[in-house]
Amino acid sequence: MIIVVANQKGGCGRSTIAVNFAAALAQQGKDVLLLDADRQATASRWCENRKVSYADKPKIAYMQKYGPIIEPLVDLNKCHDYIIVDVPYGDSVEMRSAMMVCDVVLMPFGINQLDLSLIPRMHQIVKQARQANPKIAAYAFLNMIRTYDTDYEIDRAMQIISEYPGIVPLDSVAYNRDLFLWGPHAQGLGVVETAGRTDDEIAAKNEILELVDETLKNNESKIESDRYWNQIAISMNEWAFEQDKVSQIADRFRLFPRKLIDGQART
Ligand SMILES: Nc1ncnc2c1ncn2[C@@H]1O[C@H](COP(=O)(O)OP(=O)(O)O)[C@@H](O)[C@H]1O
Ligand SMILES: [Mg+2]
């Protein structure tokens, strides 16, 4: 299953969510690859640090790819259960091409005018992508909620999102928590892997777990169907190979009687 963490707005938390989503899946024993399609390389730096500093933690495979990433994604999807794609800000070829083949677009939004005013743009882009890839499930969720954001402000943000049919606002939210900014969680440790000593750690961990659950809830069956289609694709390749051989053999037989006839004609 391919999950693209996308938004035109920079700094809304794509990389943070991408790496923590991947860590949560890895912790659940899932085979996950993080595809970093952003030249800023935030996600791959996080993964590199993880390899060195948290070698005892479950492995997260990672890779950098830029430009149109349809083909690499299709190939990688055959080898991993989950691919999390971190794309650059803006309207990038990486984001657009990932949407051509993904199952889920997960969009973090901050509760502020600059973030939320990009909903119509993202809605438009998802709509266009669905013409080629109708299976896209598009989810928006609120990230970096501040403790002083009122219920009214949170509801209003959810209301704005829900005015765009085709983008589903998630119930899961993530609060603004300093632990993402410094220390282990900025350097390769998922918040789900925290010892959970402080209230902040426990809350952050639960938020990510809920986000992962809610995002995957309606999409789990896709892994099975991806496997099914990959299987078919593989057997089609084998079939094509067999067909090739069959027609080579048939060609030799076709030549054989012609030669004979030629031979007879000559004698
Ligand atoms: N829930 C959160 N709480 C606190 N800080 C966050 C949260 N999500 C992201 N951040 C911080 O916001 C900044 C931008 O996040 P980042 O994931 O790099 O965004 P993007 O990839 O969209 O540009 C980073 O410093 C990151 O640590
Ligand atoms: Mg980023």
Side-chain angles (χ1 to χ4, degrees):
M1 184 195 297
I2 302 172
I3 300 166
V4 188
V5 188
N7 198 332
Q8 279 209 309
K9 182 70 172 58
C12 63
R14 284 158 304 152
S15 303
T16 304
I17 295 304
V19 299
N20 279 286
F21 205 108
L25 290 174
Q27 194 193 40
Q28 293 166 10
K30 307 278 169 51
D31 173 7
V32 53
L33 176 124
L34 222 149
L35 186 84
D36 191 352
D38 184 353
R39 289 175 205 272
Q40 264 188 355
T42 312
S44 18
R45 269 201 310 276
W46 186 92
C47 288
E48 269 159 32
N49 281 331
R50 180 182 178 86
K51 235 174 31 182
V52 176
S53 308
Y54 301 101
D56 56 323
K57 297 294 175 199
K59 302 269 171 298
I60 300 175
Y62 65 99
M63 192 179 276
Q64 293 170 323
K65 287 268 171 212
Y66 310 118
I69 49 175
I70 295 180
E71 280 178 24
L73 279 175
V74 170
D75 282 347
L76 291 164
N77 199 28
K78 292 175 190 161
C79 312
H80 298 276
D81 284 344
Y82 295 90
I83 308 206
I84 313 295
V85 192
D86 188 23
V87 295
Y89 72 88
D91 190 353
S92 64
V93 65
E94 286 83 0
M95 176 178 75
R96 293 248 184 192
S97 58
M99 282 192 195
M100 292 291 115
V101 286
C102 74
D103 300 284
V104 177
V105 177
L106 182 60
M107 293 171 274
F109 284 94
I111 305 189
N112 61 67
Q113 199 181 334
L114 290 181
D115 275 26
L116 291 169
S117 60
L118 281 169
I119 291 251
R121 272 307 285 149
M122 289 310 296
H123 177 248
Q124 191 66 24
I125 291 170
V126 169
K127 219 166 103 181
Q128 286 167 359
R130 278 204 179 107
Q131 290 180 2
N133 179 16
K135 71 176 183 300
I136 300 176
Y139 300 125
F141 83 99
L142 299 179
N143 185 28
M144 289 192 254
I145 300 182
R146 295 143 304 188
T147 43
Y148 55 81
D149 285 324
T150 61
D151 285 350
Y152 169 76
E153 281 161 334
I154 296 173
D155 289 348
R156 188 181 51 183
M158 293 294 265
Q159 177 60 38
I160 292 172
I161 296 169
S162 58
E163 282 162 16
Y164 292 86
I167 295 186
V168 179
L170 294 181
D171 293 332
S172 318
V173 294
Y175 273 75
N176 193 68
R177 300 187 188 283
D178 281 355
L179 56 78
F180 285 107
L181 300 175
W182 315 103
H185 302 297
Q187 288 157 20
L189 189 68
V191 289
V192 297
E193 296 163 321
T194 152
R197 288 200 191 93
T198 64
D199 287 352
D200 240 21
E201 283 179 351
I202 296 165
K205 175 179 181 160
N206 289 336
E207 284 169 0
I208 292 295
L209 287 175
E210 274 171 36
L211 176 67
V212 170
D213 271 8
E214 196 181 2
T215 307
L216 299 184
K217 203 168 53 189
N218 302 318
N219 293 286
E220 276 298 348
S221 58
K222 290 216 168 98
I223 288 200
E224 276 315 307
S225 73
D226 276 351
R227 281 217 185 97
Y228 172 74
W229 286 112
N230 290 340
Q231 205 67 44
I232 291 194
I234 289 165
S235 34
M236 287 295 282
N237 281 342
E238 279 164 8
W239 183 80
F241 178 70
E242 289 299 330
Q243 269 309 98
D244 213 4
K245 278 167 108 181
V246 168
S247 49
Q248 279 171 19
I249 293 167
D251 278 344
R252 274 158 58 195
F253 273 100
R254 238 178 279 130
L255 286 174
F256 184 58
R258 203 185 318 132
K259 267 189 188 152
L260 252 191
I261 292 162
D262 284 348
Q264 279 171 0
R266 248 185 263 123
T267 53

